[in-house]
Amino acid sequence: MTTFIVILGPPGVGKGTQAEILSERTGLAHISSGDLFRENLKNQTDLGKLAQTYMSKGELVPDDVTIGMIRERLGRLDCANGAILDGFPRTPAQADALEIMLAEFKGRVDVAPFIIGNDDVLVDRLSTRWTCRANGHIFNHKFNPPKENGKCDYDGSELYQRDDDKPETVKRRIQVYLDQTAQLLSYYRDNGKLVEIDGMQTIDQVTQAMVIALKK
Ligand code: AMP
């Protein structure tokens, strides 16, 4: 049976950072829907251009487009043993579609760690976040600085500030999360997959809590 982990939590709480660390430790693929959209935008695909009209406003890309993109990604070879999903699902329709897709791939969601954060801290974290141009590695000049200013520790590429990490868009993203994504918590709580994790601890402490959640 393949293992799928769905990381839940508001924007800026550390889903991407933890997904990267866990992916390295477990060998499971890290699938970030936001990274996939940004990659499409970089390559100027139709999907990327369409997604950008929503992303720039902090709104969700429509479900059918997002589900189609994830379906294609899950079908790739590196997901044969499972994957860590970061940023998907974000709506109940996406969660339902994920169940159907995983049934096709003979997989299932094993655990859904929910990283909890405080809104003010999230706005502060996002506005000080720097993302690597080549592979989306995440740094924060206050909490998780790169070794060399402006340069990714992993691949040496340029670090940039995402457009949607500006305070106005961040506030909208948090609101969209509360309106649309928070409904997923009861979905995964009801099916016994949800494990709550305090995201206001250090990166290492959050990882330790995630590892314990994964063993359950
Ligand atoms: P993220 O990198 O996860 O913060 O996502 C950045 C942006 O990509 C979001 O604000 C949305 O516009 C879009 N996005 C990412 N994942 C999804 C998703 N599962 N459903 C809809 N839109 C998404």
Side-chain angles (χ1 to χ4, degrees), residues 9-194:
V13 82
K15 298 187 298 295
T17 300
Q18 294 299 328
E20 254 172 45
I21 297 171
L22 291 177
S23 166
E24 261 183 37
R25 289 199 182 181
T26 60
L28 293 173
H30 169 196
I31 299 183
S32 153
S33 42
D35 281 354
L36 291 173
F37 284 131
R38 281 183 288 277
E39 203 178 295
N40 272 280
L41 182 64
K42 195 162 78 181
N43 297 329
Q44 285 291 297
T45 67
D46 289 344
L47 173 69
K49 288 181 206 161
L50 173 76
Q52 170 66 1
T53 60
Y54 297 92
M55 293 168 82
S56 61
K57 292 183 279 194
E59 304 293 336
L60 294 185
V61 179
D63 281 338
D64 55 340
V65 176
T66 307
I67 291 165
M69 175 180 76
I70 293 289
R71 168 183 287 282
E72 187 278 324
R73 181 65 189 86
L74 287 175
R76 292 197 216 156
L77 216 56
D78 63 341
C79 296
N81 295 325
I84 300 170
L85 299 176
D86 153 23
F88 181 92
R90 257 176 160 95
T91 63
Q94 292 180 14
D96 288 338
L98 179 64
E99 288 301 309
I100 296 168
M101 287 189 257
L102 293 189
E104 274 174 38
F105 299 128
K106 305 230 174 335
R108 57 150 196 241
V109 173
D110 287 306
V111 58
F114 165 39
I115 312 181
I116 302 171
N118 157 308
D119 284 5
D120 294 339
V121 177
L122 300 177
V123 175
D124 185 40
R125 274 197 194 175
L126 288 171
S127 53
T128 50
R129 174 161 89 169
W130 290 82
T131 305
C132 128
R133 188 79 72 188
N135 293 301
H137 295 117
I138 302 157
F139 298 88
N140 184 294
H141 79 73
K142 274 196 199 164
F143 311 107
N144 178 27
K147 292 195 183 91
E148 198 180 322
N149 222 356
K151 212 169 167 185
C152 176
D153 288 359
Y154 302 97
D155 54 37
S157 84
E158 181 204 8
L159 299 180
Y160 75 105
Q161 200 158 25
R162 277 172 46 179
D163 258 4
D164 60 347
D165 280 348
K166 290 190 209 118
E168 321 80 74
T169 322
V170 162
K171 287 193 185 124
R172 180 67 196 140
R173 285 163 64 202
I174 292 176
Q175 194 54 47
V176 165
Y177 167 81
L178 293 172
D179 292 345
Q180 302 189 48
T181 308
Q183 300 170 46
L184 286 184
L185 301 177
S186 50
Y187 183 100
Y188 287 108
R189 190 174 282 124
D190 292 350
N191 67 15
K193 304 286 165 71
L194 196 85

